[in-house]
Amino acid sequence: MKIITKSILVYYLILMVAFSCNGCSKDNTVQERSFEELLNDVTDVIAVKHSGSILKNGIYYHSFSVIKSVRGNPTEESITVSHTGDSDNIRIDDIEKDVSNNVQFKKGCKYLLLIKRRADAFSETDNFEPVEKSLIIPLDENENAYLNDNDSLIYGKPLKKYISKETQNAFSDKTLETYVAELVKNNPLLIYDNGFIKETDVKSVISGSQYIFRISLEREGIKSFNGDRATYDCKVKLVYKGEFKESIVSVILPSDKVEIGKEYIVAVNLVADSHDLFKISSRNSIFSIEDEDLIREVLN
């Protein structure tokens, strides 16, 4: 078991772009935004029923059955919404703990979720995050959103303190779903990770990536909270694309697709705000060394 200190945590949050510290500023204090300001980040508005919650490696995973999608791309019959917990004392121990009775969502109750749907190179499916992890909008027996000081919350306080008169009227008129859907109708339906290439064909991946390396994996470094990726110290065997003169490079790769000691050809981009840390650029950015002729052909 490891206790992640604040200094190490900062490095974690830079590396693991899939899990942002939702609602936190650089000094780890809560930035309180109004309900209307939060709507700028919404991709999906979904009515759901809470099925349960687990905590693993500092990340909460809330499971819901979908009642209806009010706004957004089609969803499965159930979704999982994830967010980081208390960043001051995150335990990386791979222990999964049922916390259904210790979260603000009540098992079996219905809620209206305001979601940020994200896509990145490390997951084959979209990731669902709350626009604000403390936001709780309950639904009544008729599946209408309502305001209640004890149940409708944000930042641990009554939600009504953070909403405009127009939003209060939408609650009162039982039209919040359509009101919100109208306000976010021009928002993107999906938020793409910085530098993420949506296409998976080799030509698009190679042409869209900043660098193409042939690397040998030497050592695994820091792993993400959910274990889906890690930083790897790699020896650079060949540089097919991009200007790079170092013999060692750090690359964020999916843990289940690579092995220490093996060689790969990877299509990567620089991580934002970094000068020496790279990550795969798409969901098809790791190639066998047997694909070298194909890679050269595309580059030429």
Side-chain angles (χ1 to χ4, degrees):
M1 179 188 299
K2 291 190 292 183
I3 303 296
I4 304 301
T5 64
K6 280 188 177 180
S7 60
I8 297 177
L9 178 65
V10 171
Y11 189 48
Y12 257 106
L13 295 177
I14 292 173
L15 295 177
M16 306 313 152
V17 294
F19 293 100
S20 60
C21 185
N22 204 330
C24 291
S25 64
K26 291 181 179 179
D27 61 0
N28 211 34
T29 57
V30 174
Q31 294 178 326
E32 294 187 351
R33 295 195 291 165
S34 71
F35 179 84
E36 288 73 24
E37 289 174 321
L38 292 172
L39 295 183
N40 293 325
D41 297 333
V42 171
T43 62
D44 293 72
V45 181
I46 309 174
V48 298
K49 183 178 180 180
H50 183 232
S51 306
S53 299
I54 62 171
L55 175 64
K56 183 178 180 180
N57 293 340
I59 297 177
Y60 285 90
Y61 299 89
H62 304 290
S63 297
F64 301 93
S65 58
V66 175
I67 300 171
K68 62 178 176 179
S69 177
V70 181
R71 194 269 183 182
N73 285 325
T75 60
E76 302 293 334
E77 293 182 357
S78 62
I79 62 171
T80 298
V81 178
S82 60
H83 62 79
T84 54
D86 181 3
S87 58
D88 286 325
N89 190 28
I90 292 178
R91 293 176 179 270
I92 307 300
D93 52 19
D94 291 326
I95 296 175
E96 188 175 290
K97 183 180 180 181
D98 189 331
V99 292
S100 300
N101 296 322
N102 299 311
V103 294
Q104 288 177 301
F105 295 112
K106 297 177 182 178
K107 195 171 182 178
C109 291
K110 299 175 182 179
Y111 300 91
L112 187 68
L113 299 183
L114 305 186
I115 296 295
K116 288 189 293 187
R117 187 191 295 231
R118 294 182 178 275
D120 63 33
F122 298 92
S123 174
E124 296 300 322
T125 58
D126 299 339
N127 300 306
F128 294 88
E129 302 174 11
V131 291
E132 166 51 52
K133 62 187 178 183
S134 66
L135 177 61
I136 305 293
I137 304 176
L139 300 178
D140 61 23
E141 63 275 7
N142 295 317
E143 297 173 3
N144 293 311
Y146 66 88
L147 279 174
N148 178 290
D149 284 357
N150 295 322
D151 300 321
S152 309
L153 305 170
I154 190 170
Y155 314 120
K157 305 169 188 176
L159 175 58
K160 66 181 181 182
K161 295 182 178 180
Y162 293 85
I163 62 177
S164 66
K165 183 177 180 180
E166 290 78 8
T167 302
Q168 289 190 41
N169 291 337
F171 271 103
S172 300
D173 297 340
K174 302 186 185 303
T175 59
L176 184 72
E177 291 180 4
T178 54
Y179 170 77
V180 170
E182 177 64 22
L183 290 177
V184 304
K185 67 180 182 181
N186 294 324
N187 287 11
L189 290 168
L190 190 60
I191 299 172
Y192 293 100
D193 188 21
N194 185 39
F196 174 63
I197 299 171
K198 295 178 286 184
E199 297 78 13
T200 57
D201 62 283
V202 176
K203 184 177 180 179
S204 295
V205 172
I206 297 303
S207 62
S209 300
Q210 295 173 335
Y211 298 85
I212 311 294
F213 297 142
R214 177 169 171 170
I215 56 173
S216 171
L217 270 64
E218 302 298 309
R219 186 178 68 87
E220 183 182 275
I222 297 176
K223 296 192 73 170
S224 64
F225 296 136
N226 67 343
D228 68 339
R229 71 200 75 170
T231 56
Y232 292 87
D233 291 335
C234 309
K235 283 186 179 179
V236 179
K237 300 290 187 177
L238 281 171
V239 178
Y240 301 97
K241 180 181 180 182
E243 295 292 329
F244 192 78
K245 298 180 180 180
E246 303 298 324
S247 60
I248 299 293
V249 65
S250 293
V251 185
I252 304 174
L253 297 168
S255 304
D256 62 345
K257 293 184 178 180
V258 295
E259 294 181 32
I260 298 297
K262 290 194 174 183
E263 290 189 16
Y264 303 91
I265 297 173
V266 294
V268 297
N269 291 328
L270 270 170
V271 172
D273 301 321
S274 171
H275 300 290
D276 55 4
L277 178 65
F278 297 82
K279 64 181 178 182
I280 55 172
S281 58
S282 76
R283 291 170 177 168
N284 185 34
S285 286
I286 302 174
F287 303 93
S288 166
I289 57 175
E290 280 75 27
D291 293 322
E292 183 175 39
D293 289 343
L294 173 61
I295 301 298
R296 290 187 181 277
E297 181 182 339
V298 171
L299 286 170
N300 293 329

